[in-house]
Amino acid sequence: VLVALLVAGAFAGVEHFPYDLKLEWEFPDQETVDFFLHVPKVVVDTFGWCGVGFKLGDEEDLTMAHSDLFTLRIQSNLLDDRVGLGNITPPHDYKKGCENNLELDDNYSMDGDTRIYKFSRKLDTEDECDIPLKQGDAFIMMWAVGQLYQGDCIAHTHYNRGREFGWLTEDYVDDGSDDYLGDGGYVQTN
């Protein structure tokens, strides 16, 4: 029974992306979500940045428009809050009169050769550049990796980005039914 309780307490929602990127989340209270971005060595050694983001689950436009994006500049350990305006490099929230509502822990942890970055934000930041995140809601979860130029993110390639469908719950586990198809699309099978 004790083992079952310990295992049950360790649950977090999880979405798997290509390159073995993984995003996990948990809700430490009713107002906050903690994210854990797993960045494997191949991404650290090959790219300058990686990012994840959210669009509302009923969104029909599958571009980056109407999305809330979080980009991590890997070597400088900087996490940017960005707003998706379409298929262009998304601007920082502050450049649109909004705020960076992400709180990145100072240090990442390691699991083998994978870095794990923990960051938090309020579920509803009341920031017009952010999408309110609600426990239990469906979202299109986006991912991308790319290079840096003069210290900032530049556009990813067509093959280094994509999106998947999932639910923001602590018991959601990506089952692979909507994995990357090579064109950035997703297929919802259930």
Side-chain angles (χ1 to χ4, degrees):
V1 174
L2 178 58
V3 172
L5 290 173
L6 290 173
V7 171
F11 279 109
V14 62
E15 183 71 51
H16 297 274
F17 301 113
Y19 296 106
D20 289 328
L21 284 168
K22 179 170 66 171
L23 183 66
E24 293 180 314
W25 55 87
E26 62 187 18
F27 306 99
D29 58 52
Q30 294 299 312
E31 298 179 356
T32 309
V33 59
D34 289 341
F35 291 106
F36 302 87
L37 181 59
H38 296 245
V39 183
K41 185 176 184 341
V42 67
V43 173
V44 171
D45 292 347
T46 308
F47 299 101
W49 66 268
C50 64
V52 294
F54 291 86
K55 286 179 73 108
L56 297 177
D58 60 358
E59 181 81 44
E60 292 184 19
D61 175 6
L62 295 181
T63 69
M64 290 189 303
H66 317 118
S67 61
D68 195 359
L69 304 165
F70 319 138
T71 55
L72 173 70
R73 290 180 268 169
I74 298 167
Q75 298 308 325
S76 58
N77 202 38
L78 294 173
L79 183 66
D80 302 316
D81 195 356
R82 295 175 181 252
V83 57
L85 302 177
N87 286 336
I88 60 170
T89 300
H92 297 260
D93 279 12
Y94 72 84
K95 291 185 177 179
K96 292 298 189 182
C98 301
E99 297 180 17
N100 184 344
N101 294 295
L102 305 173
E103 296 178 27
L104 178 66
D105 280 10
D106 290 335
N107 297 307
Y108 55 83
S109 60
M110 296 293 295
D111 180 11
D113 62 357
T114 297
R115 295 181 184 185
I116 303 172
Y117 294 88
K118 178 186 177 192
F119 62 97
S120 304
R121 74 160 249 194
K122 295 289 183 192
L123 289 167
D124 187 354
T125 64
E126 299 182 12
D127 187 327
E128 68 181 61
C129 294
D130 293 340
I131 292 175
L133 300 176
K134 295 179 185 165
Q135 289 188 50
D137 278 4
F139 288 92
I140 298 168
M141 298 178 192
M142 308 171 84
W143 68 274
V145 293
Q147 300 300 332
L148 298 174
Y149 178 73
Q150 296 181 343
D152 204 0
C153 304
I154 59 173
H156 52 72
T157 69
H158 179 71
Y159 296 102
N160 288 335
R161 57 95 172 128
R163 61 189 74 81
E164 299 189 15
F165 192 84
W167 285 263
L168 199 62
T169 64
E170 286 186 332
D171 61 353
Y172 173 75
V173 178
D174 178 25
D175 64 5
S177 64
D178 62 350
D179 281 353
Y180 182 71
L181 300 175
D183 64 354
Y186 69 87
V187 173
Q188 187 178 353
T189 58
N190 50 2

